Amino acid sequence: IGQQLEDWLKERRNGAVEIRVPIRGELATLRALADQNAEMQAQRAFDKRSSGNLEKKSATECATYLEVESLDTVVCFDMAQLQGNEKVGACITLRNGRPEKKNYRTYKVKQDVFDDLRMMRESILRWLKRQKEWPDILLLDGGETHLSTINNALIENDMDGKFVVAALAKREETLYIDGREPIILDRRGRV
């Protein structure tokens, strides 16, 4: 294919063309990323013609893997301290594997705390008060301690069992769900 592509480009350009494939370094990394993006776009195009889209298919496969009924709605929480002063909880929603930007929220932490767990607890309790429907899973940025803290807050507020709560420790790529063994995720997005 390389020679055919080179001939075609020469014809289109009306001049010499040399195709080189980088093997190492920044250009090799960039080429690998381009290959990955092209593969993903081809898969999306194929999936749109077949049943469902890639995001929905991924959500369905993930639900099966996690042994939950569905992952049609996923709500994710993360905490941030902006310039060391302003503390904010960020909430995003995915529906059928796609971002649902109209349900993105930020919660300015009112308590005078600089501890991630209490900030997350406050943000999630405020989020809970405004919900008309529950997600399939609430995903926290954190580890076992975050999971335990939020599960305790849900129990204290008679909200336990309404949805699955999971915590993702990003550094270790480990997913924690109460009552289950931790799941170590593959960094390439595959389990």
Side-chain angles (χ1 to χ4, degrees):
I1 287 184
Q3 187 60 49
Q4 292 170 336
L5 179 59
E6 195 171 310
D7 292 342
W8 181 79
L9 287 171
K10 281 180 188 177
E11 184 180 308
R12 300 266 311 164
R13 185 168 188 242
N14 287 329
V17 173
E18 180 185 358
I19 296 178
R20 292 189 270 170
V21 179
I23 296 172
R24 61 181 175 271
E26 276 186 42
L27 290 177
T29 303
L30 189 60
R31 191 204 66 165
L33 184 61
D35 290 347
Q36 204 173 27
N37 286 341
E39 185 178 321
M40 202 164 60
Q41 290 300 327
Q43 184 66 43
R44 273 194 183 142
F46 174 77
D47 284 345
K48 281 184 180 175
R49 282 184 266 125
S50 59
S51 63
N53 62 30
L54 182 61
E55 291 87 354
K56 175 65 177 165
K57 184 177 176 184
S58 296
T60 301
E61 287 176 7
C62 188
T64 301
Y65 180 76
L66 295 177
E67 298 173 356
V68 296
E69 191 173 315
S70 75
L71 285 180
D72 292 338
T73 306
V74 177
V75 173
C76 307
F77 266 90
D78 193 4
M79 303 307 299
Q81 290 188 49
L82 308 175
Q83 297 169 348
N85 297 328
E86 193 172 357
K87 300 160 296 212
V88 178
C91 169
I92 67 161
T93 301
L94 302 171
R95 200 166 302 274
N96 294 320
R98 302 198 84 161
E100 191 172 70
K101 294 186 179 182
K102 69 179 184 174
N103 285 324
Y104 282 19
R105 300 285 180 270
T106 56
Y107 298 90
K108 192 172 180 180
V109 177
K110 296 176 181 176
Q111 296 179 37
D112 191 24
V113 294
F114 289 93
D115 135 31
D116 204 47
L117 294 169
R118 288 192 285 176
M119 292 187 323
M120 185 174 281
R121 185 180 195 281
E122 177 188 320
S123 298
I124 289 175
L125 288 176
R126 286 172 53 201
W127 168 80
L128 283 169
K129 291 176 185 175
R130 298 182 182 264
Q131 295 313 297
K132 292 180 174 65
E133 62 179 283
W134 303 117
D136 296 302
I137 192 167
L138 176 65
L139 182 61
L140 313 172
D141 176 31
E144 285 180 286
T145 310
H146 287 77
L147 179 64
S148 175
T149 299
I150 299 309
N151 275 333
N152 288 337
L154 293 172
I155 291 167
E156 290 167 14
N157 289 277
D158 295 322
M159 298 299 240
D160 60 314
K162 301 257 185 220
F163 44 83
V164 175
V165 181
L168 178 62
K170 289 187 286 201
R171 186 169 294 151
E172 301 87 26
E173 295 296 328
T174 304
L175 185 69
Y176 297 94
I177 299 175
D178 204 29
R180 300 190 196 179
E181 287 296 315
I183 301 168
I184 299 172
L185 305 174
D186 186 314
R187 289 186 182 274
R188 294 168 297 181
R190 294 170 178 83
V191 283

